[in-house]
């Protein structure tokens, strides 16, 4: 439970940084990816108990589902890297759920922004939605019964 609490604090720090400065610090991502990869190499499982293959798949899912947003200039590079690191920590099925939750949160924020008639160029930070979905998935996931083990 200590690891989960530390990961929640880490996600909250990234979320706060993105909300205030619209930047996800690379140092904060390195702070988590180094011990996560070391745990995979030494213990054979991730910080949250995922296998090497599951962690790699989760990282790929986090990256693959956010990279198109980066190409379209809707997401920043830090958001993509954050989603990839969160996917590495969660594994495949839970990364899918995290991305679904983050997408729903981002969609809700987009609707709110449209209702306030903000200019289309207005960018909003994605890391807070990713962080909220990540922490929710850590504490309550997996949420969808199809993916339960």
């Amino acid at each position: 439970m200590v690891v989960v609490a530390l990961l929640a604090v880490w996600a909250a720090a990234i979320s706060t940084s993105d909300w205030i400065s619209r930047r996800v610090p690379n140092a904060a991502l390195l702070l988590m990816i180094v011990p996560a990869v070391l745990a995979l190499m030494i213990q054979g499982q991730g910080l949250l108990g995922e296998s090497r293959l599951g962690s790699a798949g989760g990282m790929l899912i986090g990256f693959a589902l956010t990279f198109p947003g980066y190409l379209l200039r809707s997401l920043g590079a830090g958001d993509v890297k954050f989603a990839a690191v969160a996917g590495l920590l969660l594994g495949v099925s839970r990364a899918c759920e995290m991305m679904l939750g983050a997408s729903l949160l981002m969609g809700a924020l987009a609707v709110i922004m449209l209702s306030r008639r903000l200019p289309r160029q207005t960018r909003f930070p994605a890391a807070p939605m990713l962080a909220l979905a990540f922490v929710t998935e850590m504490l309550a996931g997996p949420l969808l019964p199809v993916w339960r083990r």
Side-chain angles (χ1 to χ4, degrees):
M1 199 62 171
V2 172
V3 172
V4 171
L6 290 173
L7 289 173
V9 169
W10 168 76
I14 287 177
S15 173
T16 303
S17 173
D18 194 37
W19 189 264
I20 293 170
S21 68
R22 301 294 196 265
R23 295 187 56 84
V24 174
N26 286 333
L29 296 172
L30 280 173
L31 182 67
M32 195 48 60
I33 199 165
V34 169
V37 170
L38 285 174
L40 285 169
M41 290 172 37
I42 294 169
Q43 297 175 344
Q45 66 180 15
L47 296 175
L48 296 174
E50 275 298 318
S51 68
R52 288 180 181 140
L53 189 59
S55 292
M59 185 175 200
L60 181 63
I61 286 170
F63 176 80
L65 294 178
T66 54
F67 189 66
Y70 171 74
L71 293 176
L72 295 171
R73 298 181 189 257
S74 297
L75 295 175
D79 299 321
V80 175
K81 292 181 277 187
F82 179 46
V85 173
L88 174 78
L89 293 165
L90 291 172
V92 174
S93 62
R94 294 173 74 191
C96 288
E97 288 184 359
M98 176 197 72
M99 293 306 301
L100 176 62
S103 297
L104 292 171
L105 290 168
M106 286 185 232
L109 184 58
V111 167
I112 290 168
M113 289 175 66
L114 286 173
S115 70
R116 293 187 176 189
R117 303 198 193 285
L118 295 173
R120 285 197 176 264
Q121 297 86 348
T122 303
R123 294 183 68 188
F124 62 88
M129 277 64 74
L130 287 164
L132 181 58
F134 171 71
V135 171
T136 300
E137 189 60 36
M138 262 195 324
L139 296 175
L143 302 172
L144 299 176
V146 174
W147 287 330
R148 290 193 194 263
R149 293 180 188 162

